Amino acid sequence: MIYVGIDVASKKHDCFITDHNGVVPCDVFTITNDIEGFKKLSKVINDFKELVNDNYVCIGLESTGHYSKNILNYLFDQQFDVYLFNPLLTSMAKKASSVRKTKTDKTDAKAICKFLQGNWKDFQPYTRKLYHAEELKSLTRHRIRLTKEISQTKIQLSNLIDYAFPEYKTVFSNLYINCSLELLKTYSIPSVIKNTRIDALSNLLKKHSKGHHYLTTAKLIKQLAKESIGDDASYYAFEIRLIVEKIQFLNSQLDQYDNYIKEIMDKHFSIILSIPGVGYTTGAILIAGIGDISLFSSEDKLVAFIGAEPSIYQSGEFESSNSKMSKRGSKYMRYAIHHVSNRIIHSDEKFSKYYQKKINEGKHHFVALSHVGKKVIRTIYSILKYNTAYVTKH
């Protein structure tokens, strides 16, 4: 068997090749992160296959986000068995490779190759399911960043309203509903509203609220504008209009992300949606983190991967009995599990009883919820492993 370890970087990748007999065709070599570099690696591998008369090749690299994606897909298309490793695992091999405190890309490539040699049987090679999971990982991460940007932009709008027209916040229960944003975009400050006909305000509100707000709301806004203590400077109108347009644009992008995520989930991973509390976004985050369920040989390994198991501390005869959650996995997955756990205890009898049992044992709400979370993870493992939809108990 031939083993290839690749240390991935943004512009180049360092590679090391050996076989099960320890034969090394060359020292660590570097390829560029482009098609020419990928072809060079493929040629070195194929030449070595002929040299040692061995056709079975397995390639290992760390899961390092978008830097590893292009070479991963190239090698997969070339029909090599490629193994993606959690950097936490390979880092231990790197530290064990030398007692000296050294860290170079070349030593990293050798360490990854050594880790691959000793552990490849414990992992499954990259699959098309993992490809779709990588799609969801990229989409959900961008969606999270987008929602944060929307939140920050809404805060900016709220601050501007405080300066220009503070009374406006009493009109709607939600400042950011469509009719409110449309009114702010068109009539941003009290002086403009005071000089606007009541029917113009009413028609705009009626159009963008589907008839829920019109004449009564328009009269209230006009009256508040007359009595406003806000700073009626024209540049506030300019800023408010641009901020509103930005919020609307970001919301439209968010809708597009949600539609794309829904399309992938419906086509490839709809079964996870059978669990109460798992929606398209939380389901996509979980699938993106888990990837191919066949990579996990047991429920406990999935729990550990997500970082929901208690950390273990033992020294001599002492063993800690009050360990915190390890939190070694993805924070996005733990967020999704927490969200699902919070919802499932209100919609499924089995989980509700389990949560109440933990509360009756004297557990704090969040501790009880963490126990529910581990049960949710085991449920996810079961339905993905055996492709069987969850049946809700009422």
Side-chain angles (χ1 to χ4, degrees):
M1 181 179 290
I2 295 170
Y3 305 96
V4 184
I6 303 175
D7 184 66
V8 173
S10 59
K11 295 182 180 179
K12 52 91 176 178
H13 309 310
D14 290 286
C15 312
F16 181 73
I17 301 179
T18 187
D19 72 352
H20 60 282
N21 293 317
V23 177
V24 178
C26 58
D27 197 10
V28 177
F29 62 96
T30 301
I31 62 169
T32 51
N33 188 18
D34 55 29
I35 189 61
E36 294 305 318
F38 298 170
K39 287 180 178 179
K40 176 184 174 181
L41 173 61
S42 186
K43 185 178 186 305
V44 173
I45 293 172
N46 288 325
D47 288 347
F48 190 50
K49 283 166 63 177
E50 291 184 14
L51 177 68
V52 297
N53 193 27
D54 192 339
N55 287 320
Y56 190 61
V57 180
C58 60
I59 302 171
L61 57 143
E62 294 174 329
S63 179
T64 54
H66 63 284
Y67 290 143
S68 60
K69 191 168 185 178
N70 291 334
I71 190 168
L72 172 66
N73 289 332
Y74 174 82
L75 294 170
F76 180 77
D77 289 339
Q78 295 297 307
Q79 298 185 336
F80 290 118
D81 281 347
V82 188
Y83 295 80
L84 272 177
F85 299 128
N86 188 322
L88 280 172
L89 298 175
T90 53
S91 68
M92 291 184 252
K94 293 172 187 176
K95 290 175 183 177
S97 63
S98 173
V99 295
R100 299 175 64 191
K101 192 174 182 179
T102 57
K103 200 283 181 200
T104 67
D105 294 335
K106 290 188 176 182
T107 58
D108 286 353
K110 286 184 177 180
I112 292 168
C113 188
K114 186 177 180 179
F115 181 83
L116 175 67
Q117 280 182 277
N119 300 278
W120 69 273
K121 289 182 180 179
D122 297 329
F123 296 86
Q124 293 290 329
Y126 184 75
T127 63
R128 277 297 168 196
K129 276 191 176 181
L130 284 172
Y131 176 82
H132 294 305
E134 286 295 315
E135 278 188 307
L136 289 174
K137 180 180 286 187
S138 178
L139 290 167
T140 52
R141 297 290 167 84
H142 280 96
R143 187 190 184 280
I144 289 168
R145 285 191 283 270
L146 186 59
T147 54
K148 286 181 179 178
E149 187 177 357
I150 291 172
S151 296
Q152 290 166 355
T153 309
K154 285 180 175 179
I155 291 171
Q156 292 174 6
L157 177 61
S158 178
N159 292 340
L160 286 171
I161 298 299
D162 285 337
Y163 298 142
F165 191 5
E167 298 82 3
Y168 182 79
K169 287 186 172 182
T170 65
V171 178
F172 302 100
S173 57
N174 182 357
L175 181 65
Y176 311 105
I177 60 173
N178 189 48
C179 67
S180 173
L181 291 177
E182 286 293 335
L183 187 137
L184 287 171
K185 186 168 68 173
T186 310
Y187 311 109
S188 307
I189 54 178
S191 60
V192 175
I193 294 173
K194 283 188 289 186
N195 295 321
T196 301
R197 288 166 55 94
I198 193 71
D199 58 334
L201 293 174
S202 180
N203 289 337
L204 183 145
L205 290 168
K206 187 175 183 179
K207 176 182 177 182
H208 295 287
S209 70
K210 297 180 179 179
H212 290 99
H213 297 282
Y214 45 103
L215 186 58
T216 303
T217 307
K219 287 179 178 179
L220 173 60
I221 293 171
K222 200 167 179 65
Q223 183 61 37
L224 290 173
K226 291 176 182 178
E227 301 169 352
S228 178
I229 59 169
D231 184 352
D232 206 7
S234 60
Y235 66 88
Y236 281 132
F238 171 76
E239 287 189 275
I240 289 171
R241 177 174 59 81
L242 292 185
I243 290 291
V244 168
E245 288 176 353
K246 182 178 179 181
I247 291 171
Q248 291 178 325
F249 172 71
L250 293 175
N251 281 334
S252 70
Q253 285 200 323
L254 187 63
D255 288 341
Q256 292 180 62
Y257 270 101
D258 286 341
N259 290 336
Y260 203 162
I261 288 169
K262 182 178 183 299
E263 184 180 326
I264 295 173
M265 290 295 293
D266 282 338
K267 189 173 182 180
H268 301 287
F269 306 106
S270 61
I271 197 163
I272 198 173
L273 302 173
S274 65
I275 301 175
V278 177
Y280 284 103
T281 302
T282 50
I285 291 172
L286 291 168
I287 291 294
I290 295 168
D292 190 343
I293 196 64
S294 65
L295 298 175
F296 301 92
S297 59
S298 69
E299 298 172 353
D300 288 340
K301 287 189 176 180
L302 181 58
V303 172
F305 176 76
I306 294 174
E309 66 172 359
S311 55
I312 298 172
Y313 183 82
Q314 183 180 18
S315 179
E317 295 182 359
F318 172 78
E319 183 172 351
S320 172
S321 60
N322 190 27
S323 299
K324 296 181 179 179
M325 190 184 294
S326 68
K327 295 187 178 181
R328 295 292 296 271
S330 164
K331 64 180 181 181
Y332 302 107
M333 293 182 72
R334 287 195 300 278
Y335 156 78
I337 291 296
H338 178 80
H339 179 79
V340 173
S341 301
N342 234 331
R343 297 183 64 183
I344 201 169
I345 60 175
H346 299 294
S347 55
D348 183 89
E349 183 182 347
K350 180 174 70 174
F351 281 91
S352 178
K353 287 182 177 179
Y354 183 72
Y355 168 78
Q356 195 57 50
K357 176 188 172 186
K358 294 300 176 183
I359 291 295
N360 293 340
E361 291 172 0
K363 300 284 195 296
H364 186 276
H365 164 71
F366 288 113
V367 176
L369 212 58
S370 70
H371 284 279
V372 172
K374 283 186 280 188
K375 195 174 181 68
V376 168
I377 295 169
R378 292 187 171 94
T379 301
I380 291 170
Y381 178 88
S382 179
I383 70 160
L384 292 179
K385 188 80 171 180
Y386 303 108
N387 198 35
T388 305
Y390 182 80
V391 179
T392 303
K393 291 187 177 181
H394 297 289

